[in-house]
Amino acid sequence: MRLPRPSVRNQRRLTRGIQLVLVGLLGYGVVAGEPKAITNAAISLLITATPAIFERNYRIPIDPWLGLWITLAVFLHTMGSAGLYAEIGWWDHLTHAMSASLVAGVGYTFARAVDLHSDRIYLPRQFFFVYVLVVVLSFAVVWELFEFGLDVAADATGISMPLAQHGLDDTVRDLVFNALGALTVAVFGQAHLSGATERGLKALRERRGRER
């Protein structure tokens, strides 16, 4: 089943609206002297600009779904850090599932590009299902270790960190929702991402052909 595809114009409008909110959060962080808000908003703005940078500098068309997907994932996390994590109990679960699905999508796109680009490499469809799950769960473990390291650094220095762990139960729940996000992409995402990968590779080959 395919979801309706947003047009490039609508995707750009939504992205611009989200970026304006992020600029507002960045300004608030500067005025209020909140390093956490400044860090999260600045990093999120940079990430949301990535699709446009790829299209402008490398002439690689980014699928509207993928561009919107990237933007929403970082926006949801930034809004959570701005206070929604504390106010809405399920917001953390939503952001973990969304971020995990994005990691799964990027991992799938990379493997699919390798499969299409090389005649010597063949990756069966069943491989992608397992591959997506392994990539996301591995990334999730590394992320939790990263958060643990930030907690240790915060205790040692007394400096507030932009990320933190909240006990073993929270870590296990995070891993569960990461797995759900990965599973969603593994089951339903291939129908959307396969075409996006092929279009990107085609545009890249055409650009290289013109440069020659």
Side-chain angles (χ1 to χ4, degrees):
M1 178 181 178
R2 286 178 173 269
L3 296 174
R5 290 168 53 81
S7 66
V8 174
R9 177 179 295 180
N10 288 337
Q11 180 258 324
R12 288 177 177 171
R13 286 177 177 173
L14 287 171
T15 298
R16 294 292 181 271
I18 289 173
Q19 288 173 334
L20 285 175
V21 176
L22 292 175
V23 170
L25 288 174
L26 180 62
Y28 164 78
V30 172
V31 173
E34 293 283 348
K36 186 175 181 180
I38 295 172
T39 301
N40 284 322
I43 292 174
S44 296
L45 276 171
L46 179 62
I47 294 174
T48 59
T50 300
I53 292 172
F54 268 85
E55 290 185 345
R56 184 180 65 250
N57 294 350
Y58 303 102
R59 296 185 181 90
I60 299 176
I62 302 298
D63 185 85
W65 256 120
L66 186 57
L68 190 58
W69 198 355
I70 294 171
T71 302
L72 283 176
V74 296
F75 177 70
L76 291 175
H77 167 68
T78 304
M79 294 303 295
S81 298
L84 293 183
Y85 283 142
E87 297 296 328
I88 303 176
W90 48 263
W91 195 267
D92 184 55
H93 306 328
L94 173 65
T95 57
H96 271 276
M98 186 73 174
S99 298
S101 71
L102 179 58
V103 172
V106 172
Y108 171 85
T109 301
F110 175 78
R112 178 66 175 166
V114 171
D115 184 30
L116 292 173
H117 184 70
S118 176
D119 294 332
R120 293 179 296 178
I121 298 176
Y122 170 69
L123 302 177
R125 187 178 181 84
Q126 294 82 353
F127 165 83
F128 286 104
F129 185 90
V130 177
Y131 167 80
V132 164
L133 293 179
V134 171
V135 166
V136 172
L137 293 180
S138 300
F139 184 86
V141 171
V142 172
W143 183 263
E144 295 301 326
L145 291 173
F146 174 66
E147 288 188 344
F148 176 76
L150 289 181
D151 281 349
V152 173
D155 291 339
T157 63
I159 300 174
S160 178
M161 297 293 173
L163 299 169
Q165 286 185 316
H166 302 283
L168 180 60
D169 289 346
D170 178 68
T171 298
V172 173
R173 281 194 294 268
D174 289 347
L175 292 174
V176 168
F177 281 93
N178 287 334
L180 288 175
L183 188 61
T184 300
V185 173
V187 174
F188 301 107
Q190 295 190 41
H192 296 279
L193 293 172
S194 179
T197 305
E198 292 169 0
R199 286 190 294 272
L201 281 175
K202 180 181 178 182
L204 183 60
R205 288 166 180 162
E206 289 176 350
R207 181 174 68 85
R208 288 178 176 175
R210 289 193 298 268
E211 291 176 350
R212 290 175 184 174

